[in-house]
Amino acid sequence: MAAMASLVNGERAVVVVFVARVVVSLPPSLFCHGLALSLLALAALSLDARADDPISLPLFKTRPGASSGILLGAVTLPTVMLSKLIQTWRAVSFKEVEIEEFEHLTMQYWATSACCLGVLIFLCVLVWCAPGDMRPLGLHSAWHVKFSLICIGLYTALCCVSLGTISLTGFNTVLKLLWMLCHGLAAVKLIQHLLNTFPCCASIGEALLVTSGLVLYLGDMLALSIAKASRLLIAEGLVRYGSKRSEIGIIIQGMLLGLLLFPSVFKFVLQIWECFLSKESSQSRTYNDIWRSILFFSSLGFIMTVIVPTWMEFVLDFHMHPLLWVFSFVFSEPFKRLSLCIYWVVVICASVVRFYNISKNSKIERILLRKYYHLMAVSMFLPALIFQPKFLDLAFGAALGVFMALEIVRVWRIWPLGQPVHQFMTAFTDHRDSDILIVSHFSLLLGCALPIWMSSGYNDRPLVPFAGILSLGIGDTMASMVGHKYGVLRWSKTGKKTIEGTAAGITSVLAACSVLLPLLASTGYIVTEQWFSLVVAVIVSGLLEAYTTQLDNAFIPLVFYSLLCL
């Protein structure tokens, strides 16, 4: 009994409630998907409990101070996709979207789950081979592994049944399963690369979330490319994939994937260049940094202005260069969109200069100083989301692209920007960042952007796009500030989160929703939110912020988004 009780801690309990809330909301037609998610959660829970023993997974050096996070990392994206499936099923039942959209999301749900499943199998193998089998919970590690493998086997059977009922892509079930297998293998390879290349930068759960998201994103673009090639080379309609995509979505997807793949390309080009340079005189090496910088920026410019746009034009017919399409889109409403850009620039410059000086000269804790950026995000993104949502989509993509390019420059120490960017960024880091990789600004931007991007198209829940802004910009900020100043009662003896801070975060989000819903109704949105579901969503996400030791900017908006979709 004591052994079973030790399986449950605060974070795991909240995750179980989160998954259960989504599963009980499923219509009968999605019962198979909910059962599969439950099996995935049970397998991840068993491994998460086993990973409490530090010698269980000795292969990886994870972020100090964080739990393994395997359960949270394994179920978050599949649950997000399942919540989106529930929302799309409602639309199909009202004949507001085509069945192809539902089938496309079903494929994405199983692809995301396959990524998490592949990593769980990989972790099972590592745990099986790890020493010290008798340590955790007084149980043999083989019990955990066998239980997880039984859940995984049942999960695979359910996946086969579900994929057999999908007519999408024109392929048979075997080829669909091979496509899922490719996702799982790619996820295993990628998570090993991330954890080995960036040691002590992330927990396993955080790495699993990033891995499954990247594999799904790249796989989606690859499937679009394959479908387009089949229409050109084989026959029209033989291979179909997904619904019609927007130009903004393809531009963001192509740009981000190009930046993600660029370091590998540049590393290969750099090796060729250094091989050539070794044959030159030693005097020429004095200019190595300059030539390296020239090579970097020229390669980056060529890929982002030639290779990536060509890929975009192949996937979607733009009828003009994608960069020209962006300028045409911005200047289609020049007064509104340029005024918004000027407002953003003023807010960013004033805030960054002010907070940078404070971080250098003040004794204010950085965790509190960083919460001012959350408030800045609210002031920047909230008006744009209400009045210019499509332009905000594009702006999020551009900002994320700039962040990624600067991080690549910082990590590679590209002259002359590498060192100044490093010194500037480290002024805003905390214990969750490292010198190797700084991720906090990425998680804040993505936490606000992902609910907005995923809400494009059909959306019958008006608060869903605001999930990131509400949970991070208001809830997380108020919880930290009130908890730091007035908090006395702590949730745990070892943690810093307080009951007063959590209560303040939950109350502030509910208050913001009560103001936002009438405002949205006045601007033409059809408000259909149910207050019981809303209160449950706010409380669960607030408790997760209180208990989790993972990077909350990454997980809380996705959890809140999933619950709001219901």
Side-chain angles (χ1 to χ4, degrees), residues 121-169:
I121 295 173
F122 171 67
L123 294 176
C124 280
V125 174
L126 291 183
V127 170
W128 186 281
C129 299
D133 292 342
M134 298 298 292
R135 282 178 171 80
L137 308 180
L139 298 174
H140 198 276
S141 66
W143 182 89
H144 291 271
V145 176
K146 289 177 181 178
F147 178 78
S148 297
L149 289 177
I150 290 172
C151 295
I152 289 168
L154 294 173
Y155 178 95
T156 305
L158 291 171
C159 179
C160 295
V161 172
S162 177
L163 291 177
T165 63
I166 298 175
S167 61
L168 190 68
T169 73

Side-chain angles (χ1 to χ4, degrees), residues 106-228:
T106 302
M107 286 285 289
Q108 286 196 318
Y109 167 74
W110 289 115
T112 307
S113 301
C115 295
C116 298
L117 192 71
V119 174
L120 289 182
I121 295 173
F122 171 67
L123 294 176
C124 280
V125 174
L126 291 183
V127 170
W128 186 281
C129 299
D133 292 342
M134 298 298 292
R135 282 178 171 80
L137 308 180
L139 298 174
H140 198 276
S141 66
W143 182 89
H144 291 271
V145 176
K146 289 177 181 178
F147 178 78
S148 297
L149 289 177
I150 290 172
C151 295
I152 289 168
L154 294 173
Y155 178 95
T156 305
L158 291 171
C159 179
C160 295
V161 172
S162 177
L163 291 177
T165 63
I166 298 175
S167 61
L168 190 68
T169 73
F171 290 139
N172 58 32
T173 304
V174 174
L175 291 177
K176 294 171 190 172
L177 288 173
L178 287 175
W179 181 246
M180 300 305 156
L181 179 62
C182 291
H183 279 75
L185 294 175
V188 171
K189 185 67 177 177
L190 182 57
I191 196 171
Q192 291 182 76
H193 175 74
L194 290 178
L195 291 173
N196 290 327
T197 306
F198 305 106
C200 302
C201 291
S203 68
I204 295 177
E206 292 163 356
L208 179 52
L209 178 69
V210 173
T211 294
S212 54
L214 290 180
V215 172
L216 179 68
Y217 208 47
L218 180 58
D220 183 67
M221 193 69 165
L222 182 59
L224 287 173
S225 302
I226 293 173
K228 182 62 178 290

Side-chain angles (χ1 to χ4, degrees), residues 190-347:
L190 182 57
I191 196 171
Q192 291 182 76
H193 175 74
L194 290 178
L195 291 173
N196 290 327
T197 306
F198 305 106
C200 302
C201 291
S203 68
I204 295 177
E206 292 163 356
L208 179 52
L209 178 69
V210 173
T211 294
S212 54
L214 290 180
V215 172
L216 179 68
Y217 208 47
L218 180 58
D220 183 67
M221 193 69 165
L222 182 59
L224 287 173
S225 302
I226 293 173
K228 182 62 178 290
S230 71
R231 290 197 295 270
L232 296 176
L233 301 176
I234 305 176
E236 182 72 26
L238 180 62
V239 177
R240 294 175 288 110
Y241 180 79
S243 57
K244 180 176 173 58
R245 304 301 178 90
S246 68
E247 290 85 353
I248 292 176
I250 293 296
I251 287 173
I252 294 173
Q253 195 169 6
M255 178 196 65
L256 296 183
L257 290 176
L259 286 170
L260 287 169
L261 296 174
F262 172 73
S264 299
V265 176
F266 178 64
K267 185 177 181 180
F268 176 72
V269 173
L270 197 61
Q271 287 175 346
I272 297 176
W273 171 256
E274 288 178 348
C275 236
F276 169 77
L277 193 64
S278 64
K279 299 178 182 179
E280 300 295 326
S281 63
S282 58
Q283 185 177 1
S284 66
R285 297 185 184 181
T286 307
Y287 305 99
N288 187 40
D289 286 345
I290 297 176
W291 281 110
R292 186 166 171 263
S293 176
I294 293 173
L295 190 65
F296 175 88
F297 288 110
S298 59
S299 302
L300 181 61
F302 178 76
I303 288 176
M304 299 308 297
T305 59
V306 178
I307 302 298
V308 170
T310 302
W311 190 10
M312 297 175 190
E313 289 182 295
F314 176 75
V315 172
L316 186 68
D317 296 326
F318 277 86
H319 305 296
M320 66 174 70
H321 193 282
L323 290 179
L324 295 178
W325 187 94
V326 170
F327 283 108
S328 174
F329 174 78
V330 172
F331 286 98
S332 62
E333 295 183 23
F335 177 75
K336 294 180 180 178
R337 291 169 181 170
L338 292 180
S339 299
L340 195 57
C341 289
I342 294 172
Y343 167 69
W344 285 340
V345 170
V346 171
V347 172

Side-chain angles (χ1 to χ4, degrees), residues 277-477:
L277 193 64
S278 64
K279 299 178 182 179
E280 300 295 326
S281 63
S282 58
Q283 185 177 1
S284 66
R285 297 185 184 181
T286 307
Y287 305 99
N288 187 40
D289 286 345
I290 297 176
W291 281 110
R292 186 166 171 263
S293 176
I294 293 173
L295 190 65
F296 175 88
F297 288 110
S298 59
S299 302
L300 181 61
F302 178 76
I303 288 176
M304 299 308 297
T305 59
V306 178
I307 302 298
V308 170
T310 302
W311 190 10
M312 297 175 190
E313 289 182 295
F314 176 75
V315 172
L316 186 68
D317 296 326
F318 277 86
H319 305 296
M320 66 174 70
H321 193 282
L323 290 179
L324 295 178
W325 187 94
V326 170
F327 283 108
S328 174
F329 174 78
V330 172
F331 286 98
S332 62
E333 295 183 23
F335 177 75
K336 294 180 180 178
R337 291 169 181 170
L338 292 180
S339 299
L340 195 57
C341 289
I342 294 172
Y343 167 69
W344 285 340
V345 170
V346 171
V347 172
I348 291 172
C349 291
S351 301
V352 168
V353 171
R354 173 63 176 167
F355 297 153
Y356 182 75
N357 291 332
I358 292 176
S359 68
K360 290 295 185 182
N361 304 318
S362 175
K363 294 182 180 180
I364 297 177
E365 290 191 22
R366 288 190 178 183
I367 187 63
L368 289 180
L369 184 63
R370 287 151 58 95
K371 298 306 174 184
Y372 289 110
Y373 282 98
H374 290 218
L375 294 176
M376 184 183 76
V378 175
S379 65
M380 290 175 60
F381 302 147
L382 190 59
L385 180 54
I386 296 175
F387 300 107
Q388 283 288 325
K390 290 185 178 180
F391 182 61
L392 182 61
D393 286 348
L394 186 63
F396 271 132
L400 187 58
V402 171
F403 281 179
M404 290 175 63
L406 289 177
E407 186 65 9
I408 294 171
V409 167
R410 188 193 69 82
V411 171
W412 285 82
R413 294 295 195 273
I414 301 298
W415 180 88
L417 299 176
Q419 190 59 31
V421 170
H422 174 72
Q423 292 176 349
F424 178 80
M425 293 302 300
T426 52
F428 304 102
T429 58
D430 65 6
H431 63 280
R432 293 173 294 186
D433 294 307
S434 67
D435 288 337
I436 302 176
L437 203 62
I438 299 177
V439 298
S440 295
H441 56 301
F442 286 105
S443 62
L444 175 59
L445 185 65
L446 281 172
C448 294
L450 284 176
I452 298 172
W453 287 343
M454 291 187 294
S455 303
S456 60
Y458 176 80
N459 178 35
D460 61 347
R461 297 290 187 264
L463 285 180
V464 164
F466 298 87
I469 296 173
L470 291 171
S471 60
L472 296 182
I474 296 177
D476 188 32
T477 302

